[in-house]
């Protein structure tokens, strides 16, 4: 499968928003998210990202089909829910570039696209200038969660190899409706941070 990648900033991603919303809804149904989302909600979420001229979208395409995507935005331009933990710990928000989720259809995994998503977002933050940290958060699930698929491997080792450090005192809580549930419930997400060094 020949996959190409493109990088868009701000509103330049507009032609891909509907495809991105469908992709995110598909991938987020899987563990560990188990998210019963909607394309309409995802479209609103992504449109808010696109309003920031400093946001970045890294897209993986097979032909004209979007099979993977990764997002990033200055933390100051993101939702208050993501800013609040950093404010509480007295971080300088203007120095933090936040990475949204990376999503990739299962058949396209293991081809190095995950590294490419990180490379491109880190490079974008460097080009913008003024950022000292990159950050993202990941949903926390119990090790013995009965819904965990056989052979499931978390991404912790991959993130650690890229220089990200798991934070023991930096969390946010987001509500979403899990598959089969009648209503939304709170979910704990842990932040991972890495200093943004200059390109060598």
């Amino acid at each position: 499968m020949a996959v190409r990648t493109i990088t868009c900033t701000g509103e330049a991603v507009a032609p891909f928003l509907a495809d991105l919303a469908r992709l995110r809804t598909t991938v987020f149904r899987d563990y560990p998210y188990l998210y019963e989302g909607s394309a309409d909600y995802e479209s609103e979420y992504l449109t808010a990202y696109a309003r920031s001229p400093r946001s970045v979208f890294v897209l993986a395409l097979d032909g004209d089909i979007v099979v993977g995507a990764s997002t990033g935005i200055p933390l100051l331009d993101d939702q208050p829910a993501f800013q609040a933990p950093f404010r509480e710990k007295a971080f300088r928000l203007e120095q933090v570039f936040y990475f949204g989720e990376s999503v990739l259809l299962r058949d396209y995994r293991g081809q190095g696209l995950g590294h490419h998503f990180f490379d491109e977002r880190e490079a974008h933050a460097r080009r913008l200038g003024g950022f000292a940290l990159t950050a993202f958060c990941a949903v926390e699930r119990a090790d013995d969660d009965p819904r965990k698929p056989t052979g499931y491997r978390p991404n912790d080792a991959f993130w650690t190899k890229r220089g990200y450090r798991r934070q023991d005192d930096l969390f946010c809580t987001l509500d979403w409706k899990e598959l089969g549930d009648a209503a939304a419930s709170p979910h704990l997400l842990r932040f991972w941070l890495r200093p943004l060094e200059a390109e060598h």
Side-chain angles (χ1 to χ4, degrees):
M1 291 172 278
V3 177
R4 62 189 175 96
T5 60
I6 61 172
T7 300
C8 306
T9 57
E11 293 181 349
V13 77
F16 300 99
L17 286 179
D19 289 340
L20 284 176
R22 284 192 292 271
L23 172 69
R24 288 168 58 89
T25 303
T26 297
V27 173
F28 287 156
R29 293 178 70 84
D30 292 342
Y31 189 87
Y33 310 100
L34 304 173
Y35 167 63
E36 193 172 288
S38 71
D40 286 344
Y41 173 82
E42 291 300 321
S43 291
E44 290 177 17
Y45 175 87
L46 291 163
T47 298
Y49 256 62
R51 287 194 197 103
S52 168
R54 300 189 297 166
S55 65
V56 64
F57 297 80
V58 187
L59 311 180
L61 297 97
D62 186 349
D64 293 328
I65 300 171
V66 180
V67 298
S70 194
T71 59
I73 193 169
L75 187 59
L76 276 178
D77 296 353
D78 206 352
Q79 300 175 38
F82 297 106
Q83 297 175 358
F86 289 87
R87 291 189 191 280
E88 290 168 10
K89 298 294 181 183
F91 281 85
R92 295 180 61 185
L93 268 64
E94 72 276 9
Q95 293 186 347
V96 182
F97 193 87
Y98 177 74
F99 292 166
E101 304 82 5
S102 291
V103 291
L104 187 62
L105 294 178
R106 187 174 285 109
D107 288 347
Y108 296 86
R109 296 171 191 170
Q111 302 180 34
L113 288 167
H115 279 294
H116 183 73
F117 286 157
F118 272 93
D119 288 343
E120 286 296 306
R121 291 181 298 177
E122 289 164 2
H124 177 76
R126 289 190 189 98
R127 284 192 295 270
L128 289 175
F131 295 100
L133 288 171
T134 50
F136 64 88
C137 61
V139 64
E140 295 269 294
R141 296 287 188 185
D143 288 339
D144 60 352
D145 192 315
R147 300 165 299 180
K148 181 166 63 175
T150 302
Y152 171 78
R153 290 186 305 168
N155 288 319
D156 296 30
F158 169 72
W159 296 329
T160 300
K161 191 175 291 186
R162 287 209 59 103
Y164 287 85
R165 295 293 172 259
R166 184 176 186 265
Q167 303 300 299
D168 291 329
D169 60 351
L170 204 60
F171 297 89
C172 69
T173 302
L174 300 178
D175 291 346
W176 69 78
K177 183 179 174 183
E178 292 195 358
L179 296 172
D181 285 357
S185 57
H187 297 80
L188 188 69
L189 293 94
R190 182 190 298 272
F191 282 93
W192 293 65
L193 305 181
R194 175 192 166 180
L196 185 67
E197 305 95 344
E199 195 77 73
H200 297 301

